[in-house]
Amino acid sequence: MAAGLRVVLLGPPGAGKGTQAKFLQEHYGACQISTGDILRKAVAEQTPLGKEASGYINRGALVPDDLIVNLVAERLKENDCAPGFILDGFPRTIPQAQSLDEILKKMGMVLNGVLAVQVPQKVIVERLAGRRTCKGCGALYHLAFDPPKAVAVCDRCGGELVQRDDDREETIVARLKVYDTQTAPLVDYYRERNLLRSVDGVGTVDDIRNRIIQALGDVK
Ligand code: AMP
């Protein structure tokens, strides 16, 4: 069995999965696979995948499972994922979770943990509305909780900070509904497999990071 971190970050949009996944990637030397980032890049580059996915993303719906599953299977084979991986935003449906089990089985691996980051809905809306992303390097900021030094400019690369189209209030509501109906059942799916570790996602970025490391304690 391959060593290393092989985890899923599970939680509603705005739970802080992206921020924490970027940190875990550095801390554990594992790769971060964010299906949302991959799709947004494909949309920006107007690839066939991007053209097919953009309508779903803009209305806050999920992209069909078959478009996502192969993409993750290929990404997992890349060299930077050999020491381990953190899945952020995948799986998002029970069929995706079943496909992931099969993909990993073929690779001779199993997951060693699923972190469910828990955040109340009120906090989520506040977080998503203030979220900004660097167009250049993908760094994440929050206007109130983690503001950049200069307005709309990335501290790290000087890139422009923008709001994701799907972080507008009307789309946020749709995404939360999709989470409740299609993604939340994964909590039970992974609990039944003894993989679930719950983490309180309210607090500072550092607080949540420490809780995650503690929750992962025996994984590596
Ligand atoms: P995220 O950045 O994870 O919030 O994803 C942004 C959007 O990309 C979602 O609202 C979906 O439209 C799409 N998306 C990302 N990951 C998936 C996935 N695993 N399955 C289906 N759609 C996805």
Side-chain angles (χ1 to χ4, degrees):
M1 187 66 61
L5 196 71
R6 299 179 302 278
V7 299
V8 168
L9 284 184
L10 191 62
K17 300 188 297 295
T19 302
Q20 298 299 340
K22 282 185 175 53
F23 159 73
L24 291 173
Q25 174 186 22
E26 279 172 34
H27 189 81
Y28 290 99
C31 76
Q32 176 201 0
I33 304 182
S34 159
T35 44
D37 284 351
I38 295 171
L39 291 171
R40 277 184 290 280
K41 186 160 178 272
V43 171
E45 292 171 355
Q46 300 196 347
T47 65
L49 169 69
K51 285 182 187 159
E52 210 168 334
S54 68
Y56 296 100
I57 297 174
N58 288 339
R59 61 174 192 275
L62 293 183
V63 170
D65 291 339
D66 55 337
L67 287 184
I68 297 285
V69 168
N70 287 341
L71 184 154
V72 173
E74 291 307 310
R75 181 69 186 85
L76 279 168
K77 287 182 199 154
E78 288 177 33
N79 285 342
D80 62 327
C81 294
F85 57 81
I86 301 129
L87 287 166
D88 154 20
F90 178 92
R92 268 231 200 10
T93 62
I94 297 279
Q96 287 184 16
Q98 290 165 337
S99 298
L100 176 62
D101 290 342
E102 279 165 33
I103 292 166
L104 294 179
K105 195 171 166 196
K106 278 188 198 148
M107 296 175 81
M109 292 186 221
V110 288
L111 286 175
N112 49 20
V114 174
L115 285 160
V117 185
Q118 288 169 331
V119 182
Q121 185 146 333
K122 187 174 158 281
V123 178
I124 289 173
V125 176
E126 198 177 72
R127 282 191 188 169
L128 291 178
R131 176 158 79 175
R132 295 294 181 272
T133 313
C134 174
K135 253 178 138 176
C137 70
L140 297 169
Y141 295 86
H142 191 282
L143 295 183
F145 309 133
D146 183 19
K149 291 196 180 84
V151 176
V153 179
C154 178
D155 295 350
R156 273 159 246 185
C157 77
E160 185 192 354
L161 301 185
V162 293
Q163 181 173 38
R164 279 171 46 172
D165 286 340
D166 62 348
D167 278 349
R168 287 180 314 253
E169 201 152 341
E170 61 279 15
T171 320
I172 292 174
V173 172
R175 289 164 65 206
L176 290 174
K177 207 175 267 176
V178 165
Y179 179 81
D180 280 344
T181 54
Q182 303 196 59
T183 308
L186 291 178
V187 171
D188 282 340
Y189 181 90
Y190 286 122
R191 187 181 289 119
E192 282 160 16
R193 285 157 181 76
N194 284 326
L195 285 167
L196 197 75
R197 294 153 197 248
S198 291
V199 176
D200 176 4
V202 180
T204 66
V205 170
D206 284 347
D207 287 341
I208 301 161
R209 181 172 298 177
N210 290 334
R211 286 177 208 145
I212 289 181
I213 292 181
Q214 211 167 6
L216 286 174
D218 56 337
V219 159
K220 263 204 85 177

